[in-house]
Amino acid sequence: GQNIDQPTEMTATEGAIVQINCTYQTSGFNGLFWYQQHAGEAPTFLSYNVLDGLEEKGRFSSFLSRSKGYSYLLLKELQMKDSASYLCAVRLPGSGGYNKLIFGAGTRLAVHP
Amino acid sequence: EAGVAQSPRYKIIEKRQSVAFWCNPISGHATLYWYQQILGQGPKLLIQFQNNGVVDDSQLPKDRFSAERLKGVDSTLKIQPAKLEDSAVYLCASSFNNRGVLTDTQYFGPGTRLTVL
C-alpha cells in the first residue's frame, strides 16, 4: 500500500521558522508536492521536488531525499496568515504514462503572536 | 486567468437521496480530477479524466458514484443514493496535461461541502 506520514498539528510564533516533515513509503515515485489549505478553502500549490535537494521560493523552501523517503517544508518569517493545513502529496506513476497524487492527512499549523 | 469553478458550494441532503456536483476546469486543461476530502484527512482521488476519457477510477465507489466529462471540458459527479459516510468536501482539480509531464501541477476549485443527514 501507499503511506504518507505528517505530524497532525504544529504551533509556532509569528516571525519564527518552522519545519514540517513528511515521510513516505510508496510503490513508485514521480515527485513530491506541497500544498497549503486554509480552513474551508481549496488547496493551493506551494512547491514541487522531483530531484534530491532544496527548492527555495521566497519564504518557503522544500527539501527532498528520495533514498530516505523524506521531505520537509520550511517556512521562514512566519506570518499569521500562514496558519493553515499543509498537505504533502506524492505523485505516483500510473498506466499509459499518466500520474496520480496521493495525499497525506495534512499538518495543521497554528501561528501565534 | 479564471480558476477552477465548482457549484454548488454547499449541499445538505438526506441519506438515500441523490446529488450532483458540477466542475468547470481552467481553460485549456486536458486533465480533470475529482477528489473526496473527509474532515481531518487529505484529498482522496475518486476519478481522473484525460479529455473525455477516464484514466483512473479505481477508488470510485461505482455502485453509487458516477462521473462524466462528455465534451472534454466541464464535468459532473453524481452520488445516488447518498450515505452518511459520503459527508465530505468534493474537490475538483485540473491540470494542463498529466500524461508524461512530470512538472504538471494540479489547481483546485473551492469545493462542494456535502452534508448527508
Side-chain angles (χ1 to χ4, degrees):
Chain A
Q2 323 291 356
N3 197 45
I4 300 175
D5 288 317
Q6 311 177 231
T8 304
E9 291 184 350
M10 298 182 71
T11 59
T13 305
E14 195 175 13
I17 299 172
V18 71
Q19 177 175 311
I20 302 174
N21 295 324
C22 171
T23 57
Y24 61 90
Q25 299 95 38
T26 58
S27 53
F29 179 86
N30 269 349
L32 189 141
F33 289 78
W34 285 94
Y35 281 82
Q36 180 190 59
Q37 186 175 27
H38 284 100
E41 298 183 14
T44 55
F45 169 74
L46 286 179
S47 70
Y48 168 68
N49 296 71
V50 66
L51 299 176
D52 291 352
L54 189 68
E55 292 282 342
E56 297 188 79
K57 196 186 278 189
R59 295 189 300 115
F60 295 82
S61 304
S62 57
F63 172 84
L64 175 67
S65 169
R66 289 172 295 170
S67 62
K68 295 181 180 178
Y70 168 69
S71 174
Y72 68 72
L73 180 69
L74 193 71
L75 292 76
K76 303 174 189 174
E77 300 169 15
L78 280 172
Q79 302 175 11
M80 298 297 289
K81 67 178 182 180
D82 297 329
S83 294
S85 284
Y86 291 86
L87 300 167
C88 173
V90 172
R91 188 204 293 274
L92 299 179
S95 59
Y98 297 101
N99 300 276
K100 65 181 181 183
L101 286 183
I102 303 295
F103 283 85
T107 299
R108 254 191 332 273
L109 174 67
V111 180
H112 299 290
Chain B
E1 175 182 272
V4 177
Q6 289 189 246
S7 67
R9 292 296 312 277
Y10 305 92
K11 190 75 178 177
I12 301 173
I13 62 173
E14 297 193 348
K15 59 183 179 184
R16 290 188 289 275
Q17 286 187 323
S18 63
V19 64
F21 314 125
W22 175 81
C23 171
N24 191 34
I26 293 171
S27 178
H29 279 194
T31 316
L32 184 146
Y33 316 79
W34 282 103
Y35 289 87
Q36 179 193 60
Q37 187 174 24
I38 293 171
L39 189 64
Q41 299 181 18
K44 183 183 85 170
L45 180 68
L46 293 176
I47 189 167
Q48 178 176 328
F49 292 93
Q50 183 77 1
N51 298 308
N52 60 354
V54 175
V55 170
D56 187 327
D57 63 358
S58 56
Q59 297 201 86
L60 188 73
K62 298 180 188 63
D63 57 334
R64 299 184 300 107
F65 286 63
S66 63
E68 58 184 18
R69 192 185 185 199
L70 292 176
K71 296 183 179 179
V73 181
D74 56 354
S75 174
T76 54
L77 175 70
K78 296 178 182 177
I79 307 175
Q80 183 180 8
K83 292 185 176 181
L84 296 177
E85 59 260 35
D86 298 333
S87 292
V89 175
Y90 291 85
L91 294 164
C92 179
S94 71
S95 66
F96 181 69
N97 184 1
N98 179 297
R99 189 175 191 189
V101 180
L102 291 183
T103 56
D104 192 56
T105 299
Q106 296 185 26
Y107 298 91
F108 286 81
T112 297
R113 184 176 298 276
L114 174 68
T115 302
V116 182
L117 302 175

